[in-house]
Amino acid sequence: MARMKFLCDSDRCIECNACVTACKNEHEVPWGINRRRVVTINDGKPGERSISMACMHCTDAPCAAVCPVSCFYTTADAIVLHDKDLCIGCGYCFYACPFGAPQYPKVGNFGGRGKMDKCTYCAGGPQQDNSAVEYVQYGANRIAEGKLPLCAEMCSTKALLAGDGDIIAGIYKERVQRRGYGSGAWGWRTAYKQDLTV
């Protein structure tokens, strides 16, 4: 079975935010929530880099490790999802995630912010695939339709890659070899506990 992963090539990202917009539109994500965001480091300075960030669907997900009600689960494709029916909105996952993926849907006092929301890798949730209930809670289930996440498909520079982790690693390795310098796939080592060997 494939291990579905994301990789953002910071040398190609142009901070256009097409990935962010595609995600919000495809899943009808409420105002104030961004399941994906673009982070720019050294903005306006030499060495500026932009990186598209979302849940990295970690191999050993820290959000799942700290959840007191075990609402996080990993699919056969290694996609980390959570069950909003089990979630109590405690926020432990928010603090445990190194990528800041889980977030509250509302601003307010503790207990009134709702249940956590995060990137689903366009794989829906625990409900029946492509059902109305699944769409309302989690958004579109493109994986069940045999498609990749829309954020990656909409990336005009192909900076954001999604799919089988081995294939993505091969694509990135090829790019790095053409560029002539070592691996710098931001977040890969943290999320997947492995290096991209060049």
Side-chain angles (χ1 to χ4, degrees):
M1 199 85 200
R3 292 188 58 215
M4 306 303 265
K5 301 296 174 191
F6 280 123
L7 187 140
C8 184
D9 186 342
S10 62
D11 284 344
R12 285 186 171 216
C13 182
I14 59 173
E15 195 184 1
C16 68
N17 283 289
C19 53
V20 176
T21 304
C23 177
K24 285 189 82 67
N25 289 342
E26 180 74 357
H27 304 296
E28 296 182 16
V29 177
W31 181 261
I33 297 177
N34 285 324
R35 290 182 177 176
R36 176 165 290 284
R37 65 194 181 284
V38 177
V39 176
T40 301
I41 299 167
N42 295 327
D43 197 9
K45 299 176 186 167
E48 176 181 316
R49 292 278 190 266
S50 294
I51 302 149
S52 180
M53 293 291 305
C55 176
M56 296 295 280
H57 302 278
C58 301
T59 300
D60 187 17
C63 57
V66 300
C67 181
V69 294
S70 301
C71 72
F72 289 89
Y73 62 99
T74 304
T75 67
D77 289 334
I79 299 170
V80 178
L81 298 175
H82 77 300
D83 187 337
K84 289 185 180 181
D85 292 331
L86 293 176
C87 180
I88 59 173
C90 67
Y92 288 178
C93 55
F94 171 79
Y95 294 107
C97 177
F99 304 105
Q103 53 192 294
Y104 287 105
K106 300 176 202 162
V107 177
N109 294 333
F110 185 78
R113 293 182 261 183
K115 299 179 180 196
M116 303 310 285
D117 189 77
K118 70 177 248 350
C119 164
T120 64
Y121 202 90
C122 289
Q127 285 79 10
Q128 181 182 346
D129 286 346
N130 294 318
S131 67
V133 173
E134 181 187 52
Y135 185 80
V136 167
Q137 282 191 300
Y138 303 97
N141 189 338
R142 294 175 55 85
I143 298 297
E145 298 170 4
K147 299 175 184 176
L148 287 174
L150 191 61
C151 56
E153 286 193 8
M154 293 301 292
C155 183
S156 60
T157 62
K158 299 301 172 210
L160 183 59
L161 301 174
D164 184 326
D166 293 333
I167 294 171
I168 289 173
I171 292 168
Y172 187 72
K173 178 180 176 181
E174 195 176 298
R175 288 179 183 180
V176 168
Q177 286 174 333
R178 266 191 268 128
R179 291 178 192 147
Y181 56 84
S183 172
W186 194 86
W188 188 273
R189 186 177 308 150
T190 302
Y192 310 131
K193 311 263 191 268
Q194 61 186 18
D195 291 326
L196 291 174
T197 54
V198 179

